[in-house]
């Protein structure tokens, strides 16, 4: 993409959108949002960066292969389900703990881990397709 | 441990041994066979303990419930018939394992081979001991699969691969017929256990389904036991290493069909159909098998064809069903297992020690291999039916069963004499010709075989002699219970080694006489047979190839018709079907929605959004180039997302926004990769039908949605989730709670699908890029050469 404005704005836009996607992921249990939507937002962020600067910088920026990210997500989601087996409750039962950090109570749960898994799978799988399409599109 | 648990263990033990066989062989080499033979030997001992009980007329059943809701169990039935088979399988199995240790000494895949043969043993054992239909079928097909592995063991050779495939297609296909037969039987009787079925014979024979059951069961049995015209896989199976042939022919797979017929004799037998079909196929198999055996010069092939003949004889006897015939079948089955196992192993020894098993290139081995010669002679005497061997008893009983003065008996007797005389000649051709006469040079320097090789056949040959000498005991313990099981009522076998004056002796004498004549003129007979066969030319073996070729050709033609490989054809088919389903269903079932009405007071902003959506659609249709069309489609999607937002579904609209954005991006990327022309240049005669299909689909979806929203809304689920999502799942966002908590397992499956789809698309993209790149490279190479 030749537009200077777009090239300049794209990194900021991407970082903002990625942050926002994590925000959306984390608040999903109580407000609109969640892993799936968050993942889609993150993919859009990567797509913008890719269109502006090309695929190589994106691949460098996310460091891991997108499919590895997706695989890690699937693993996280499965583990989230399996943890409940160790607590002697049925597979995929949500478990919650409330540790407090600096006086603030932080609710943590296997459900959270599961949603993060969904997020990673969506980011990994879709961005892997988008990136590989973009990669040789210009040839 | 109690008997039931031990029996269960015995059923599983061969498979366990199969698992450890490769490991043991790696550490111990061919000596692992000594250890592995303990598994079948232990099973043999276990079943030996049943002998007195069964001889007293008991029947032992046991097992565990498997699928109780369908009344299916994992259960076994031990009576005279299955016990005899189990003893043969485990006893000969132990000898075969030892023999394999010697025969395949130093073979790189010996461990694998031992593993296969133990699995085969386990399948066969399970088959004969099964009481439940389903278990019987599972083991039946397992024997087909394991024999496929064994026959194709030498998979580097094309002939072995073909033979393995052929055996699998024929016997496995027959197994499917059997399954159909058993299912009908199950349906008609409501019984799933063989032991209970015995009391159902009379009702079954009057059922209108009797003939169907009979034909299907015969289809299974005849293919498995290589009855004419399904015999061709059996000689081809000689591609397997000799231990397999010895086992397959003596105790196991080819006898499975005969076993089934014997097992079902009390239930299905005794009807005119049974008494016509079985003897007819049996006698055809007997004569053709014996005649084809004479034709061969390869030791293993000669033995293979005589097995076919013997199986024909067994089917003939089972079909006749008279007391004498049943007893003869029981005796002959055991006798055949013993002498055929021994002879096959002898053939293997000759092959192993001389490097050839062609009858015309062997001779004068008696001084080099005296022990093998004695074993071969003993087995051949039993096969020829001469005293004092067990084969003699069987043959006398056979002739006793066939001696009658009606035309049917006389015809069968004459054909049986012919078949037996041919087998007599073949038996001595195998046992005498390689050993007597002047010494012939062989590829390898012949010398006596090692103990692992001769031990098995020696024991079998000795057994053939000893049970004949102690016939009283053998009859009481084995033959009588077995005949009783086949007949379905108590029977006592009494035949002894004393010659029986009368018709049987006369037929015996005729057999020996004709047999000697055949033996002396064997070369001339073989030449004559070759001419006859050459004149016939076509045979079932070639027919099989034609059948497979035809099948492939049909498959290719159908595939070409259905899978045209053109994307637009697939798309058209899919969308036409969608439109048809959506439109035809409501019309046929009178489920058309009532005409929608619009409220008079639609707010202005909602109207505006709808206008934007429609404008987007119009833009798609009018767009001059494809990129514009794709972006315009996005307008419509955003408008829908706004509608979701207005009606209180922020999650949904959020997702819709992202999906629309990404799909525009991805579509645009795909377009640049496919290098489509920027605009749509299709001729009118394509555009019109395509737009018709699109309109039909749209109309169908519209009607469907109107109808769906027209039905009163059931709020039970909504109430449930609203009520419990906070208290159970600690979440206020019901949609998210459903996705990650209430229906989390669904989501887990879905993200697995997303990931798999991603992988598939990725590999497709790579594949295409790779082929493009290869294409350019090749062009460059060509240019450089030029």
């Amino acid at each position: 993409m030749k537009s200077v404005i777009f090239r300049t704005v794209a990194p900021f836009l991407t970082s903002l959108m990625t942050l926002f996607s994590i925000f959306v992921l984390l608040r999903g249990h109580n407000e609109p949002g969640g892993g799936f939507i968050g993942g889609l937002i993150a993919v859009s962020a990567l797509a913008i960066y890719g269109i502006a600067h090309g695929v190589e910088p994106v691949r460098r920026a996310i460091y891991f292969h997108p499919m590895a990210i997706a695989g890690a997500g699937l693993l996280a989601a499965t583990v989230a389900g399996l943890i409940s087996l160790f607590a002697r409750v049925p597979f995929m039962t949500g478990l919650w703990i409330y540790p407090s950090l600096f006086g603030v109570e932080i609710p943590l749960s296997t459900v959270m881990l599961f949603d993060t898994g969904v997020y990673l799978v969506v980011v990994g799988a879709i961005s892997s397709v988008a990136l590989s399409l973009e990669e040789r599109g210009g040839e | 441990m109690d008997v039931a648990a031990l029996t269960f263990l015995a059923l599983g033990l061969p498979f366990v041994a199969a698992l450890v066989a490769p490991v043991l062989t790696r550490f111990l080499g061919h000596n692992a066979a000594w250890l592995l033979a303990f598994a079948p030997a232990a099973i043999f001992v276990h079943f030996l303990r049943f002998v007195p009980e069964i001889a007293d007329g008991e029947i032992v059943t046991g097992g565990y419930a498997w699928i109780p809701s369908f009344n299916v169990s994992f259960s076994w039935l031990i009576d005279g018939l299955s016990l005899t088979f189990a003893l043969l399988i485990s006893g000969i199995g132990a000898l075969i394992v030892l023999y394999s240790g010697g025969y395949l000494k130093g073979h790189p895949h010996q461990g694998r081979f031992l593993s296969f043969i133990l699995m085969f043993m386990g399948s066969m054992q399970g088959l004969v001991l099964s009481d439940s239909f389903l278990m019987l079928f599972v083991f039946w097909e397992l024997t087909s699969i394991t024999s496929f592995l064994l026959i194709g063991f030498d998979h580097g050779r094309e002939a072995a691969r073909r033979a393995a495939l052929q055996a699998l297609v024929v016997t496995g296909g027959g197994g499917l017929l059997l399954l159909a037969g058993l299912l009908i039987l199950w349906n008609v009787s409501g019984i799933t256990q063989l032991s209970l079925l015995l009391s159902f014979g009379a009702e079954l024979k009057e059922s209108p389904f009797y003939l169907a059951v009979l034909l299907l069961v015969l289809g299974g049995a005849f293919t498995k036991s290589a009855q004419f015209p399904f015999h061709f896989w059996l000689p081809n199976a000689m591609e397997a290493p000799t231990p397999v042939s010895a086992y397959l022919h003596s105790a196991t797979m080819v006898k499975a069909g005969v076993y089934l017929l014997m097992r079902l004799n009390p239930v299905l037998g005794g009807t005119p159909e049974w008494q016509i079909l079985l003897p007819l196929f049996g006698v055809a198999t007997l004569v053709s098998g014996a005649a084809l055996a004479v034709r061969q010069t390869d030791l293993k092939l000669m033995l293979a064809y005589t097995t076919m003949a013997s199986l024909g004889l067994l089917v003939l006897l089972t079909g006749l069903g008279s007391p004498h015939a049943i007893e003869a079948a029981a005796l002959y089955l055991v006798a055949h297992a013993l002498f055929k196992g021994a002879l096959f192993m002898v053939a293997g020894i000759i092959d192993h020690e001389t490097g050839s098993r062609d009858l015309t290139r062997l001779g004068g081995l008696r001084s080099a291999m005296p022990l093998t010669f004695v074993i071969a002679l003993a087995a051949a005497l039993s096969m020829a039916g001469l005293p004092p061997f067990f084969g003699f008893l069987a043959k006398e009983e056979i002739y006793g069963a066939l001696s009658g003065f009606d035309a049917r008996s006389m015809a069968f007797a004459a054909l049986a004499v012919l078949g037996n005389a041919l087998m007599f000649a073949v038996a001595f051709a195998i046992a005498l010709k390689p050993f007597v006469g002047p010494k012939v040079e062989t590829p390898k320097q012949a010398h006596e075989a090692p103990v692992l090789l001769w031990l098995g056949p020696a024991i079998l040959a000795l057994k053939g002699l000893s049970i004949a000498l102690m016939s009283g005991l053998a009859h009481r313990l084995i033959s009588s219970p077995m005949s009783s099981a086949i007949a379905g009522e108590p029977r006592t076998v009494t035949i002894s080694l004393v010659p029986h004056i009368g018709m049987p002796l006369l037929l015996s004498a005729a057999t020996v006489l004709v047999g000697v004549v055949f033996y002396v003129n064997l070369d001339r007979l073989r030449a004559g047979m070759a001419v006859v066969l050459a004149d016939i030319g076509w045979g079932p073996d070639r027919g099989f190839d034609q059948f497979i070729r035809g099948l492939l050709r049909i498959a290719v033609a159908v595939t070409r018709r259905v899978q045209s490989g053109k994307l637009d054809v697939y798309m058209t088919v899919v969308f036409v079907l969608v439109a048809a389903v959506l439109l035809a269903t409501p019309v046929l079932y009178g489920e058309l929605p009532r005409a929608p009405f619009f409220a008079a007071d639609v707010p202005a902003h909602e109207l505006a959004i709808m206008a934007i959506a429609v404008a987007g659609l119009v833009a798609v249709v009018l767009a001059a180039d494809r990129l514009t069309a794709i972006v315009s489609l996005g307008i419509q999607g955003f408008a829908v997302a706004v509608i979701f937002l207005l009606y209180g579904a922020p999650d949904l609209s959020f997702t819709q926004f992202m999906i629309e954005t990404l799909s525009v991006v991805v579509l645009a990327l795909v377009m640049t990769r496919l290098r489509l022309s920027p605009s749509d240049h299709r001729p009118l005669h394509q555009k019109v039908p395509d737009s018709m299909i699109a309109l039909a689909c749209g109309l169908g979806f519209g009607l469907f949605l109107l109808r769906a929203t027209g039905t009163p809304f059931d709020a039970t689920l909504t109430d449930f989730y609203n009520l419990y999502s906070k208290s159970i799942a600690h979440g206020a966002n019901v949609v998210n709670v459903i996705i990650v908590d209430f229906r989390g397992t669904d989501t887990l499956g879905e993200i697995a699908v997303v990931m798999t789809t991603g992988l598939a698309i990725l590999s497709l993209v790579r594949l295409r890029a790779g082929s493009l790149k290869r294409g350019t490279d090749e062009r460059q190479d060509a240019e450089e050469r030029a």
Side-chain angles (χ1 to χ4, degrees), chain B residues 708-736:
Chain B
T709 49
T711 29
F713 183 66
D714 178 5
T716 323
L717 264 182
T718 317
D719 293 341
F720 171 84
Y721 286 126
N722 281 336
L723 204 60
Y724 291 112
S725 62
K726 188 73 193 172
S727 55
I728 295 181
H730 312 277
N733 178 2
V734 177
V735 176
N736 189 270

mmCIF file of all heavy atoms in Angstrom, chain B residues 708-736:
data_model
loop_
_atom_site.group_PDB
_atom_site.id
_atom_site.type_symbol
_atom_site.label_atom_id
_atom_site.label_comp_id
_atom_site.label_asym_id
_atom_site.label_seq_id
_atom_site.Cartn_x
_atom_site.Cartn_y
_atom_site.Cartn_z
ATOM 1 N N ALA B 708 -40.586 -18.918 10.332
ATOM 2 C CA ALA B 708 -39.963 -19.203 11.624
ATOM 3 C C ALA B 708 -40.340 -18.145 12.652
ATOM 4 O O ALA B 708 -40.659 -18.478 13.799
ATOM 5 C CB ALA B 708 -38.448 -19.270 11.475
ATOM 6 N N THR B 709 -40.334 -16.866 12.237
ATOM 7 C CA THR B 709 -40.678 -15.826 13.209
ATOM 8 C C THR B 709 -42.176 -15.770 13.448
ATOM 9 O O THR B 709 -42.621 -15.201 14.429
ATOM 10 C CB THR B 709 -40.206 -14.447 12.717
ATOM 11 O OG1 THR B 709 -40.632 -14.285 11.375
ATOM 12 C CG2 THR B 709 -38.693 -14.345 12.768
ATOM 13 N N GLY B 710 -42.938 -16.402 12.552
ATOM 14 C CA GLY B 710 -44.388 -16.395 12.712
ATOM 15 C C GLY B 710 -44.848 -17.312 13.828
ATOM 16 O O GLY B 710 -45.926 -17.142 14.393
ATOM 17 N N THR B 711 -44.033 -18.352 14.155
ATOM 18 C CA THR B 711 -44.459 -19.272 15.211
ATOM 19 C C THR B 711 -44.281 -18.609 16.561
ATOM 20 O O THR B 711 -43.345 -17.844 16.761
ATOM 21 C CB THR B 711 -43.625 -20.553 15.209
ATOM 22 O OG1 THR B 711 -42.345 -20.230 14.715
ATOM 23 C CG2 THR B 711 -44.253 -21.632 14.388
ATOM 24 N N PRO B 712 -45.179 -18.905 17.505
ATOM 25 C CA PRO B 712 -45.070 -18.311 18.842
ATOM 26 C C PRO B 712 -43.739 -18.695 19.473
ATOM 27 O O PRO B 712 -43.288 -19.829 19.353
ATOM 28 C CB PRO B 712 -46.238 -18.931 19.619
ATOM 29 C CG PRO B 712 -47.110 -19.559 18.607
ATOM 30 C CD PRO B 712 -46.308 -19.812 17.383
ATOM 31 N N PHE B 713 -43.109 -17.734 20.161
ATOM 32 C CA PHE B 713 -41.776 -17.950 20.705
ATOM 33 C C PHE B 713 -41.875 -18.667 22.049
ATOM 34 O O PHE B 713 -42.635 -18.280 22.934
ATOM 35 C CB PHE B 713 -41.088 -16.586 20.863
ATOM 36 C CG PHE B 713 -39.685 -16.705 21.354
ATOM 37 C CD1 PHE B 713 -38.730 -17.316 20.552
ATOM 38 C CD2 PHE B 713 -39.329 -16.238 22.606
ATOM 39 C CE1 PHE B 713 -37.436 -17.425 21.009
ATOM 40 C CE2 PHE B 713 -38.032 -16.353 23.052
ATOM 41 C CZ PHE B 713 -37.071 -16.952 22.257
ATOM 42 N N ASP B 714 -41.091 -19.759 22.172
ATOM 43 C CA ASP B 714 -41.083 -20.499 23.428
ATOM 44 C C ASP B 714 -39.926 -19.981 24.275
ATOM 45 O O ASP B 714 -38.763 -20.151 23.927
ATOM 46 C CB ASP B 714 -40.917 -21.984 23.117
ATOM 47 C CG ASP B 714 -40.851 -22.804 24.380
ATOM 48 O OD1 ASP B 714 -41.028 -22.206 25.468
ATOM 49 O OD2 ASP B 714 -40.620 -24.016 24.287
ATOM 50 N N ALA B 715 -40.248 -19.374 25.393
ATOM 51 C CA ALA B 715 -39.223 -18.666 26.155
ATOM 52 C C ALA B 715 -38.594 -19.508 27.258
ATOM 53 O O ALA B 715 -37.848 -18.986 28.081
ATOM 54 C CB ALA B 715 -39.817 -17.398 26.758
ATOM 55 N N THR B 716 -38.857 -20.819 27.263
ATOM 56 C CA THR B 716 -38.366 -21.639 28.375
ATOM 57 C C THR B 716 -36.860 -21.544 28.529
ATOM 58 O O THR B 716 -36.345 -21.331 29.623
ATOM 59 C CB THR B 716 -38.754 -23.110 28.140
ATOM 60 O OG1 THR B 716 -40.033 -23.148 27.546
ATOM 61 C CG2 THR B 716 -38.741 -23.869 29.438
ATOM 62 N N LEU B 717 -36.165 -21.720 27.389
ATOM 63 C CA LEU B 717 -34.708 -21.711 27.438
ATOM 64 C C LEU B 717 -34.179 -20.349 27.862
ATOM 65 O O LEU B 717 -33.282 -20.248 28.691
ATOM 66 C CB LEU B 717 -34.138 -22.057 26.066
ATOM 67 C CG LEU B 717 -33.772 -23.520 25.862
ATOM 68 C CD1 LEU B 717 -33.169 -23.698 24.482
ATOM 69 C CD2 LEU B 717 -32.800 -23.985 26.929
ATOM 70 N N THR B 718 -34.781 -19.301 27.277
ATOM 71 C CA THR B 718 -34.359 -17.948 27.624
ATOM 72 C C THR B 718 -34.480 -17.732 29.119
ATOM 73 O O THR B 718 -33.558 -17.216 29.771
ATOM 74 C CB THR B 718 -35.251 -16.931 26.894
ATOM 75 O OG1 THR B 718 -35.436 -17.379 25.571
ATOM 76 C CG2 THR B 718 -34.631 -15.566 26.898
ATOM 77 N N ASP B 719 -35.614 -18.139 29.657
ATOM 78 C CA ASP B 719 -35.832 -17.958 31.095
ATOM 79 C C ASP B 719 -34.792 -18.727 31.890
ATOM 80 O O ASP B 719 -34.231 -18.214 32.858
ATOM 81 C CB ASP B 719 -37.236 -18.443 31.478
ATOM 82 C CG ASP B 719 -38.295 -17.550 30.872
ATOM 83 O OD1 ASP B 719 -37.920 -16.408 30.488
ATOM 84 O OD2 ASP B 719 -39.449 -17.975 30.764
ATOM 85 N N PHE B 720 -34.526 -19.937 31.453
ATOM 86 C CA PHE B 720 -33.555 -20.754 32.178
ATOM 87 C C PHE B 720 -32.204 -20.059 32.235
ATOM 88 O O PHE B 720 -31.618 -19.916 33.300
ATOM 89 C CB PHE B 720 -33.434 -22.108 31.494
ATOM 90 C CG PHE B 720 -32.307 -22.942 32.035
ATOM 91 C CD1 PHE B 720 -32.480 -23.715 33.180
ATOM 92 C CD2 PHE B 720 -31.063 -22.949 31.416
ATOM 93 C CE1 PHE B 720 -31.451 -24.466 33.686
ATOM 94 C CE2 PHE B 720 -30.028 -23.707 31.914
ATOM 95 C CZ PHE B 720 -30.232 -24.470 33.057
ATOM 96 N N TYR B 721 -31.748 -19.605 31.058
ATOM 97 C CA TYR B 721 -30.420 -18.997 31.037
ATOM 98 C C TYR B 721 -30.399 -17.692 31.809
ATOM 99 O O TYR B 721 -29.447 -17.387 32.522
ATOM 100 C CB TYR B 721 -29.959 -18.773 29.591
ATOM 101 C CG TYR B 721 -29.549 -20.056 28.910
ATOM 102 C CD1 TYR B 721 -30.093 -20.446 27.694
ATOM 103 C CD2 TYR B 721 -28.596 -20.877 29.496
ATOM 104 C CE1 TYR B 721 -29.712 -21.621 27.083
ATOM 105 C CE2 TYR B 721 -28.210 -22.060 28.893
ATOM 106 C CZ TYR B 721 -28.772 -22.417 27.687
ATOM 107 O OH TYR B 721 -28.390 -23.574 27.094
ATOM 108 N N ASN B 722 -31.453 -16.894 31.669
ATOM 109 C CA ASN B 722 -31.489 -15.639 32.401
ATOM 110 C C ASN B 722 -31.445 -15.880 33.896
ATOM 111 O O ASN B 722 -30.806 -15.151 34.645
ATOM 112 C CB ASN B 722 -32.770 -14.865 32.060
ATOM 113 C CG ASN B 722 -32.624 -14.169 30.716
ATOM 114 O OD1 ASN B 722 -31.503 -13.902 30.287
ATOM 115 N ND2 ASN B 722 -33.733 -13.901 30.064
ATOM 116 N N LEU B 723 -32.106 -16.959 34.296
ATOM 117 C CA LEU B 723 -32.219 -17.240 35.722
ATOM 118 C C LEU B 723 -30.897 -17.756 36.291
ATOM 119 O O LEU B 723 -30.500 -17.381 37.388
ATOM 120 C CB LEU B 723 -33.320 -18.282 35.909
ATOM 121 C CG LEU B 723 -34.014 -18.328 37.266
ATOM 122 C CD1 LEU B 723 -34.677 -16.990 37.533
ATOM 123 C CD2 LEU B 723 -35.040 -19.445 37.255
ATOM 124 N N TYR B 724 -30.231 -18.590 35.523
ATOM 125 C CA TYR B 724 -29.125 -19.341 36.131
ATOM 126 C C TYR B 724 -27.740 -18.884 35.712
ATOM 127 O O TYR B 724 -26.765 -19.334 36.291
ATOM 128 C CB TYR B 724 -29.277 -20.824 35.828
ATOM 129 C CG TYR B 724 -30.433 -21.450 36.542
ATOM 130 C CD1 TYR B 724 -31.548 -21.908 35.860
ATOM 131 C CD2 TYR B 724 -30.409 -21.557 37.938
ATOM 132 C CE1 TYR B 724 -32.615 -22.470 36.524
ATOM 133 C CE2 TYR B 724 -31.473 -22.113 38.604
ATOM 134 C CZ TYR B 724 -32.574 -22.569 37.898
ATOM 135 O OH TYR B 724 -33.612 -23.113 38.558
ATOM 136 N N SER B 725 -27.619 -18.025 34.681
ATOM 137 C CA SER B 725 -26.260 -17.759 34.214
ATOM 138 C C SER B 725 -25.456 -17.032 35.281
ATOM 139 O O SER B 725 -24.258 -17.245 35.418
ATOM 140 C CB SER B 725 -26.279 -16.981 32.904
ATOM 141 O OG SER B 725 -26.887 -15.750 33.091
ATOM 142 N N LYS B 726 -26.108 -16.198 36.065
ATOM 143 C CA LYS B 726 -25.355 -15.503 37.117
ATOM 144 C C LYS B 726 -25.062 -16.459 38.278
ATOM 145 O O LYS B 726 -23.935 -16.528 38.781
ATOM 146 C CB LYS B 726 -26.174 -14.292 37.614
ATOM 147 C CG LYS B 726 -25.414 -13.396 38.555
ATOM 148 C CD LYS B 726 -24.352 -12.591 37.817
ATOM 149 C CE LYS B 726 -23.391 -11.940 38.822
ATOM 150 N NZ LYS B 726 -22.250 -11.316 38.136
ATOM 151 N N SER B 727 -26.064 -17.217 38.680
ATOM 152 C CA SER B 727 -25.897 -18.008 39.900
ATOM 153 C C SER B 727 -25.022 -19.231 39.668
ATOM 154 O O SER B 727 -24.272 -19.637 40.554
ATOM 155 C CB SER B 727 -27.268 -18.433 40.426
ATOM 156 O OG SER B 727 -27.971 -19.120 39.419
ATOM 157 N N ILE B 728 -25.100 -19.824 38.491
ATOM 158 C CA ILE B 728 -24.304 -21.037 38.275
ATOM 159 C C ILE B 728 -22.959 -20.699 37.661
ATOM 160 O O ILE B 728 -21.927 -21.172 38.114
ATOM 161 C CB ILE B 728 -25.064 -22.034 37.357
ATOM 162 C CG1 ILE B 728 -26.316 -22.519 38.066
ATOM 163 C CG2 ILE B 728 -24.166 -23.204 37.011
ATOM 164 C CD1 ILE B 728 -27.113 -23.506 37.270
ATOM 165 N N ALA B 729 -22.975 -19.850 36.630
ATOM 166 C CA ALA B 729 -21.752 -19.645 35.857
ATOM 167 C C ALA B 729 -21.071 -18.323 36.163
ATOM 168 O O ALA B 729 -20.086 -17.977 35.521
ATOM 169 C CB ALA B 729 -22.058 -19.735 34.376
ATOM 170 N N HIS B 730 -21.576 -17.575 37.127
ATOM 171 C CA HIS B 730 -20.950 -16.319 37.550
ATOM 172 C C HIS B 730 -20.753 -15.349 36.391
ATOM 173 O O HIS B 730 -19.735 -14.668 36.319
ATOM 174 C CB HIS B 730 -19.603 -16.566 38.226
ATOM 175 C CG HIS B 730 -19.651 -17.628 39.265
ATOM 176 N ND1 HIS B 730 -20.059 -17.375 40.552
ATOM 177 C CD2 HIS B 730 -19.357 -18.942 39.208
ATOM 178 C CE1 HIS B 730 -20.011 -18.484 41.246
ATOM 179 N NE2 HIS B 730 -19.600 -19.458 40.455
ATOM 180 N N GLY B 731 -21.684 -15.269 35.476
ATOM 181 C CA GLY B 731 -21.511 -14.358 34.348
ATOM 182 C C GLY B 731 -22.805 -13.628 34.059
ATOM 183 O O GLY B 731 -23.894 -14.202 34.155
ATOM 184 N N ALA B 732 -22.693 -12.357 33.684
ATOM 185 C CA ALA B 732 -23.899 -11.582 33.399
ATOM 186 C C ALA B 732 -24.236 -11.621 31.909
ATOM 187 O O ALA B 732 -25.378 -11.421 31.514
ATOM 188 C CB ALA B 732 -23.705 -10.134 33.856
ATOM 189 N N ASN B 733 -23.229 -11.869 31.066
ATOM 190 C CA ASN B 733 -23.466 -11.893 29.624
ATOM 191 C C ASN B 733 -23.938 -13.298 29.221
ATOM 192 O O ASN B 733 -23.144 -14.240 29.094
ATOM 193 C CB ASN B 733 -22.183 -11.510 28.899
ATOM 194 C CG ASN B 733 -22.344 -11.553 27.402
ATOM 195 O OD1 ASN B 733 -23.430 -11.839 26.902
ATOM 196 N ND2 ASN B 733 -21.276 -11.269 26.699
ATOM 197 N N VAL B 734 -25.241 -13.404 29.026
ATOM 198 C CA VAL B 734 -25.811 -14.733 28.828
ATOM 199 C C VAL B 734 -25.215 -15.426 27.603
ATOM 200 O O VAL B 734 -24.911 -16.620 27.638
ATOM 201 C CB VAL B 734 -27.348 -14.628 28.699
ATOM 202 C CG1 VAL B 734 -27.937 -15.979 28.417
ATOM 203 C CG2 VAL B 734 -27.926 -14.028 29.943
ATOM 204 N N VAL B 735 -25.026 -14.638 26.526
ATOM 205 C CA VAL B 735 -24.515 -15.238 25.298
ATOM 206 C C VAL B 735 -23.149 -15.891 25.541
ATOM 207 O O VAL B 735 -22.902 -17.044 25.221
ATOM 208 C CB VAL B 735 -24.404 -14.183 24.182
ATOM 209 C CG1 VAL B 735 -23.787 -14.792 22.936
ATOM 210 C CG2 VAL B 735 -25.759 -13.601 23.875
ATOM 211 N N ASN B 736 -22.281 -15.107 26.177
ATOM 212 C CA ASN B 736 -20.942 -15.627 26.432
ATOM 213 C C ASN B 736 -20.976 -16.821 27.392
ATOM 214 O O ASN B 736 -20.247 -17.798 27.223
ATOM 215 C CB ASN B 736 -20.072 -14.509 26.995
ATOM 216 C CG ASN B 736 -18.618 -14.916 27.067
ATOM 217 O OD1 ASN B 736 -18.195 -15.458 28.070
ATOM 218 N ND2 ASN B 736 -17.889 -14.697 26.000
#
